[in-house]
Amino acid sequence: MKRFAALFTALDQTTKTTAKVTALAEYFTDAPKPDRLWTIALLSGRRPKRTVTTTALREWAAERAGIPLWLFEESYPIVGDLAETIALVLPPPSATSDRSLTDWIGDIRALATADEPARKAAILAAWDALPTSERFVFNKLITGGFRMGVSRKLMTRALAKATGVDEPALAHRLMGDWTPDSTTFDDLIHTPDPTANLSRPYPFYLAYQLDDGPDVLGDPADWAAEFKWDGIRGQLIRRGGAHHLWSRGEDLMTDRFPELAAALDFLPDGTVLDGEVLAWTDNAPLPFAALQKRIGRKTVPKKLLAEAPVILQAYDLLEDGGTDIRERPFAHRRARLEALLAGIPQNAPFRASPLLPFDTWDALAETRATARAEGAEGVMLKRRDAPYRDGRKKGDWWKWKLDPLVIDAVMIYAQSGHGRRANLFTDFTFAVWSGNDLVPFTKAYSGLTDAEFREITAWVRKNTLERFGPVRRVTPEHVFEIAFEGIQASTRHKSGIALRFPRMSRWRHDKPVQEANTLSDLQAMLETYG
């Protein structure tokens, strides 16, 4: 644990990429192999499940520190992190420990089957054997909120430096449903069995936002374009007589979308499609809200299958006949995709996302303007001679999204943030006018600068009308422009409206509260864009 805590501290104390890569590479070279494997798992989102409630941890920490619980609770927002607050209030340890990261994670996982007294005894014993820096890391692991400020790409780069294995090969090996229980460091990194995990997806290629228009990209003839669909990015894998569907976040979604089992009937073995899962009916996409009803379900009732059937709108072919073709130009992969899907019945739940014809950037801009009516968010641009890369690399894939929808709204509630924002009010509830009343319709917590968050925080503290736990009702004085990507009807909200990706795009110092938008304005937008 000492070595891992030192790594955590080194990463936390720098923002320089080279310094982080160096620290990680040294760790991956020198640490015990089981610890290296668990570190890779932690940095790729494979964290141990939470085995103790945060309520219990707060109570036990206050008891061990000899302070009243209210004082601990007052300290928590000041520190801004529960794991760090616990580590700081505890008395110095009376024992020492040289146990490894793997050992401690084993203890944490074992708590899942222990009763409450046994859990408490184990946690108190751990706190008493670890110094502050190691307690902090231990607490992070307990709470399940482990973050190290390291992207998977940066971790993969450091691992390549430490092991000599090519970064693209490592990126692929780290995908899929492996866990430290199912493999070893050497098997995962140095001697992977290509048949061991036939469900393994490829690393996703991610696009950059194009803010200034496509004129900077050169000759339009070098580029292909298609609509940017508003669904769930996924890879459909047909290997070994089975099919698998993976999300971009490495969530295995196969059971949630049983329609795509048709891959077994229509796609040849050794095929991997990259595309967008969309709720689809009458040859058009349904709003994302229809798809959202299916996201959290392991099984889908027949009624929902009928209301929101899905398709995979495929826009790339990554594996063809069992051969990885990601290094081939996009134009070649696209031609192979179209040939593969050409003979499939029209009612099959996958199809090639249509390419958009254009010969000038102005012509593409005119097509882009129709995207919202087509159920899309804008257009994607892909260089015809580009390979399929992994991660977010600038130059070959661009997303040219539509300008967001906007509404002017009044801030009526405020709540403090978390982590480094725990001392600031950053989470706000906004309302629009309905007659003489302000009706809440959305929450937003991003879009302002740090200086603006500090300014609004000072104002909230002076203008609080009521407190409801962590929430403060404030004087309705400030208007904010709220930007959002979509709007739909909602029975869960008092306003009857729900927004997609709301954020604060501007603080309207120039606009009095009386000139904020109305619920009727939102309803008109719903009729137009919902």
Side-chain angles (χ1 to χ4, degrees), residues 424 449-460 478 507 509:
L424 298 173
T449 65
D450 286 346
E452 287 175 320
F453 276 127
R454 287 193 294 270
E455 182 180 350
I456 197 66
T457 293
W459 181 86
V460 167
H478 292 285
W507 189 349
H509 294 284

Side-chain angles (χ1 to χ4, degrees), residues 215 226 230 243 286 433 485:
D215 292 342
E226 61 197 74
D230 184 17
H243 81 290
L286 294 170
W433 291 105
E485 301 303 321

